[in-house]
Amino acid sequence: MSYTSPFEKSTTKPGHGSIVLGLLPPNTPVLSTVSYQYPLKLVAPDPLPPPDHSEDNPSTPSLVHTVFLLTYGGGIVAGDSINLDIRLQSKTRLVLLTQGSTKIFKTTDPTVVSKQYMTVGLAPDSALVYLPDPVQPFAQTAFSQSQIYTLENEEGSLCACDWVTSGRSARGENWDIHEYKSRNEVWTVNTGVDGKSRRRLLLRDNLILDQSGQTSMQLSDRMDGYSVFGTLILRGPVFKSLSQHFLDEFEALPRIGGRNWGDTQLPELTPKEQRRAQRQQREKADVLIWSAANVRGFVLVKFASREVEGARNFLRDLIKEEGSILKSFGERAVLCLK
Amino acid sequence: MSANGDPQSLEDEIADLERRLHDAKARLRLSETVVATPTPANDAALHALFLLSDSALPLGSFAFSSGLESYLAHHKPSPPSASQVPSFHTFLHLSLATLASTALPYVLAGYRYPADIDTLDNDFDASTPCTVARRASVAQGRALLTVWDRSFKAQHTTPATPANVGSGQDLSKGVAAIDALASFSASLRTASPPNAHLAPLWGLVANVLSVPLHDSAYLFLFSHARTVISAAVRASVLGPYQAQAVLASTELQSRIRGLVEEGWDRKIEDAGQSVPVMDLWVGRHEKLYSRIFNS
């Protein structure tokens, strides 16, 4: 019988971390590995049963685990490199969170790029909710991050948000960065009849903000006055109704350039329509614009707003209104949107 | 040889030699211009370039504004009578930058690696985040494939044209590209057809037509600029002469040349959006109250 000492020295490299969420038969998910090295820190509070769990519904796992991704000092210092690998086994659910925005600190040398890489393997019938706080690159920073998700046979459920802000707006920073890159990719590994596995790209969302050459336009001018940009990626059976909700609400947005001629009688609004009207008014006040598209089995939501709060309100309102994440993952899943 | 010592005759000799040198140079220049008369190889590539650059090439590009219409709706001038020309220039600038960072790597890869066309098509599809942009790209890509099938193919399936006779290697390369294009076109009629996006196909077709790589990349960006400018004319932002002036400007020329240079070595994995708000303008085209374009 193998025995692992709890006091054994860690073998991981600086900035490296690993999370493995396994399943104890018949239905108890456990975090079988949570390891990390400075400057990365992972905190896993006690798992909670999801609100929609009941003994006679064995299709939902009995526990939902939560892991906070933290860095010492609350941010990433120039030259830091973080490498996190996450595996979700079948019938497990994980919530990944941050505690406050990921701050990127100033670099004296623009060629020193801080990096954060995350790879996630999702087994069929597993689900991940990753709704972090935004990344906040301060002025004169160079940062590159990538989130690579790998599905098996196009199965598995994913809800991942990636958003970035213009810096410390209170100090007048407005996209005064050297470089910011963020890559989100979803791959699928299919095993063919010949037993060979093939990787195929399902989605690539690659944002490249740099001051380089021909674009020859200040970053702040390229952003059309917006301070927050984000993408929400939804896929899989667990997030089906949420995906549909985003599509429906996009469809229900008032037409741009449409006019109210006052010749149509306004019908009584149902409670749902009233909520929608209120939210749309707030989006207008927050100067938030968004779009949703159904592409290749994903629902891809893109949004931009003048202030972080506007984007936060938008995400929280839509996710809470629909409610399925709260039911399947609990209130914790939307902690960063509070 | 006493005369050699005489300074006068030496000077005469030098003058004579200089005159003969000058004459010889002039004759050489003359014969060079004679050599530069049309060679068949250049002709074929030039002819193909004209075909691809023709605005009458039936790709249906006129139906797309690539987000211009939506952009203008998001930037209503105040007062309403104010000119929209400055904001059009901003848009053209951003639109070209976006196309160069997202699609140009696929044009170059489609040209350089004809055999990878299926992967390129899939990856480009995976990187196109909104339905409106995908619709525009697929519609034009399929149209290009149809033009190839119905109009260009007959000229190129017999590879013994004067253009590619010469080195045997070039010939086999050309055949490989034609084969890749033919099997891609055939797979459109299978149960799970590819998407047929414009960018990788543009590169591949240009390869088959033996248009030089740099020219095809330049033309890809130029055609986009022309489409957007022509959309601006129809959206009453520019007059037709103003539009030609923009198209002819050295500013546009140097920008396109710079973008091609900048993207020359960019790998398709590193293609990405450099103007995030562009995705929103294009994606929200569907929400316009009235539309004259498809994108």
Side-chain angles (χ1 to χ4, degrees):
Chain A
M1 186 184 155
S2 74
Y3 168 75
T4 326
S5 160
F7 306 110
E8 198 174 44
K9 267 194 103 179
S10 168
T11 52
T12 51
K13 286 181 260 172
H16 280 241
S18 166
I19 301 172
V20 178
L21 185 56
L23 187 76
L24 270 187
N27 201 14
T28 314
V30 284
L31 277 172
S32 46
T33 308
V34 179
S35 69
Y36 54 88
Q37 268 287 343
Y38 180 89
L40 174 69
K41 188 176 162 84
L42 303 173
V43 173
D46 286 341
L48 296 174
D52 69 350
H53 177 72
S54 64
E55 291 305 323
D56 41 80
N57 182 8
S59 66
T60 59
S62 57
L63 291 170
V64 172
H65 284 79
T66 306
V67 175
F68 284 90
L69 310 179
L70 309 175
T71 42
Y72 288 89
I76 293 178
V77 182
D80 273 358
S81 167
I82 285 176
N83 235 308
L84 177 62
D85 183 63
I86 301 173
R87 308 268 137 210
L88 265 65
Q89 290 180 7
S90 193
K91 291 189 177 172
T92 59
R93 283 178 188 175
L94 181 66
V95 173
L96 278 182
L97 293 170
T98 53
Q99 252 185 355
S101 62
T102 304
K103 293 152 194 74
I104 314 296
F105 295 109
K106 174 176 162 177
T107 173
T108 44
D109 177 359
T111 59
V112 177
V113 181
S114 316
K115 298 185 177 99
Q116 176 165 300
Y117 294 138
M118 185 167 100
T119 49
V120 182
L122 289 153
D125 215 10
S126 65
L128 172 74
V129 172
Y130 180 36
L131 294 171
D133 288 286
V135 179
Q136 189 183 15
F138 293 175
Q140 300 166 47
T141 55
F143 180 63
S144 158
Q145 67 168 356
S146 74
Q147 290 75 233
I148 313 286
Y149 306 91
T150 306
L151 312 177
E152 280 173 37
N153 292 317
E154 306 186 25
E155 289 176 65
S157 298
L158 176 66
C159 165
C161 184
D162 177 17
W163 46 326
V164 58
T165 76
S166 60
R168 289 169 289 190
S169 45
R171 297 191 51 166
E173 293 181 359
N174 185 23
W175 304 108
D176 298 326
I177 51 180
H178 295 306
E179 177 183 315
Y180 174 85
K181 289 182 181 169
S182 182
R183 170 192 296 274
N184 292 284
E185 288 178 359
V186 185
W187 293 79
T188 179
V189 177
N190 294 29
T191 311
V193 277
D194 53 356
K196 277 187 199 155
S197 57
R198 277 183 204 84
R199 270 170 82 77
R200 190 165 73 93
L201 185 66
L202 293 176
L203 184 82
R204 177 177 285 147
D205 180 67
N206 199 5
L207 177 64
I208 303 166
L209 302 180
D210 52 24
Q211 307 277 16
S212 80
Q214 279 309 307
T215 323
S216 67
M217 206 178 205
Q218 284 275 311
L219 260 181
S220 49
D221 295 336
R222 250 193 269 171
M223 298 310 202
D224 200 33
Y226 292 99
S227 307
V228 182
F229 282 97
T231 304
L232 177 70
I233 301 168
L234 296 167
R235 185 187 174 95
V238 174
F239 305 109
K240 194 160 184 274
S241 68
L242 181 64
S243 311
Q244 193 54 49
H245 183 62
F246 272 98
L247 289 176
D248 290 346
E249 290 304 313
F250 182 60
E251 192 51 46
L253 280 182
R255 293 274 171 180
I256 303 162
R259 284 189 200 172
N260 182 7
W261 300 102
D263 55 352
T264 44
Q265 191 75 39
L266 280 181
E268 276 293 299
L269 292 179
T270 63
K272 186 182 170 187
E273 285 168 335
Q274 276 177 1
R275 273 202 306 276
R276 176 181 289 161
Q278 276 173 5
R279 184 173 45 74
Q280 287 172 354
Q281 269 179 5
R282 180 141 95 185
E283 281 170 19
K284 207 171 170 189
D286 284 342
V287 198
L288 178 130
I289 60 170
W290 65 287
S291 74
N294 192 351
V295 283
R296 293 166 70 94
F298 292 86
V299 167
L300 209 60
V301 181
K302 299 235 164 210
F303 55 90
S305 71
R306 293 270 194 265
E307 305 282 340
V308 183
E309 282 319 303
R312 215 187 284 273
N313 292 340
F314 158 76
L315 285 173
R316 189 196 51 233
D317 288 354
L318 273 161
I319 289 173
K320 282 201 162 176
E321 230 168 75
E322 193 275 330
S324 70
I325 284 197
L326 301 180
K327 278 198 208 103
S328 319
F329 292 85
E331 289 276 344
R332 263 186 197 169
V334 293
L335 212 59
C336 297
L337 306 178
K338 284 241 156 68
Chain B
M1 303 280 276
S2 60
N4 280 350
D6 177 12
Q8 181 57 45
S9 68
L10 268 177
E11 270 172 24
D12 284 352
E13 197 180 340
I14 289 171
D16 179 51
L17 284 172
E18 274 178 345
R19 196 174 52 248
R20 280 164 60 193
L21 179 66
H22 187 255
D23 284 355
K25 277 186 174 165
R27 278 204 305 278
L28 181 66
R29 270 203 297 278
L30 198 67
S31 69
E32 269 174 348
T33 47
V34 171
V35 168
T37 50
T39 62
N42 281 347
D43 244 9
L46 192 65
H47 191 85
L49 188 69
F50 290 155
L51 284 177
L52 287 181
S53 62
D54 189 354
S55 66
L57 187 71
L59 299 189
S61 309
F62 60 85
F64 306 101
S65 79
S66 307
L68 173 66
E69 191 177 23
S70 175
Y71 170 82
L72 294 173
H74 282 89
H75 294 82
K76 284 277 173 226
S78 66
S81 58
S83 163
Q84 289 181 298
V85 174
S87 74
F88 165 75
H89 280 289
T90 311
F91 179 81
L92 181 63
H93 189 156
L94 295 178
S95 183
L96 273 174
T98 296
L99 193 77
S101 68
T102 56
L104 188 62
Y106 286 88
V107 174
L108 297 169
Y111 192 108
R112 288 171 179 149
Y113 317 107
D116 293 350
I117 183 73
D118 288 296
T119 316
L120 293 174
D121 185 60
N122 173 67
D123 290 6
F124 189 80
D125 196 56
S127 315
T128 307
C130 73
T131 31
V132 181
R134 148 184 282 113
R135 199 163 58 211
S137 171
V138 166
Q140 295 177 76
R142 293 202 169 191
L144 181 62
L145 211 52
T146 310
V147 174
W148 159 257
D149 263 338
R150 297 198 183 170
S151 316
F152 296 166
K153 193 163 78 177
Q155 304 301 318
H156 288 84
T157 34
T158 46
T161 58
N164 45 22
V165 169
S167 78
Q169 206 195 351
D170 276 1
L171 190 67
S172 68
K173 259 190 184 168
V175 172
I178 291 178
D179 285 350
L181 191 53
S183 72
F184 186 80
S185 160
S187 68
L188 265 187
R189 287 179 287 275
T190 59
S192 54
N195 305 284
H197 281 281
L198 179 63
L201 277 174
W202 182 271
L204 180 52
V205 169
N207 177 342
V208 170
L209 300 183
S210 37
V211 176
L213 178 55
H214 189 275
D215 292 357
S216 21
Y218 190 98
L219 180 56
F220 182 73
L221 292 178
F222 176 83
S223 305
H224 177 78
R226 189 186 54 205
T227 307
V228 172
I229 290 169
S230 123
V233 174
R234 282 169 290 150
S236 324
V237 176
L238 294 180
Y241 293 110
Q242 257 179 316
Q244 278 303 311
V246 177
L247 208 52
S249 65
T250 49
E251 196 203 340
L252 184 71
Q253 239 181 76
S254 62
R255 172 155 316 135
I256 294 179
R257 199 181 308 119
L259 286 170
V260 172
E261 257 166 48
E262 206 175 82
W264 194 252
D265 294 318
R266 196 194 280 250
K267 294 202 284 278
I268 57 162
E269 294 81 31
D270 298 325
Q273 182 56 272
S274 53
V275 187
V277 69
M278 186 63 74
D279 284 338
L280 284 158
W281 292 329
V282 175
R284 285 164 65 84
H285 185 267
E286 291 189 290
K287 300 307 304 176
L288 297 189
Y289 182 76
S290 56
R291 283 171 281 187
I292 53 175
F293 297 102
N294 274 338
S295 86

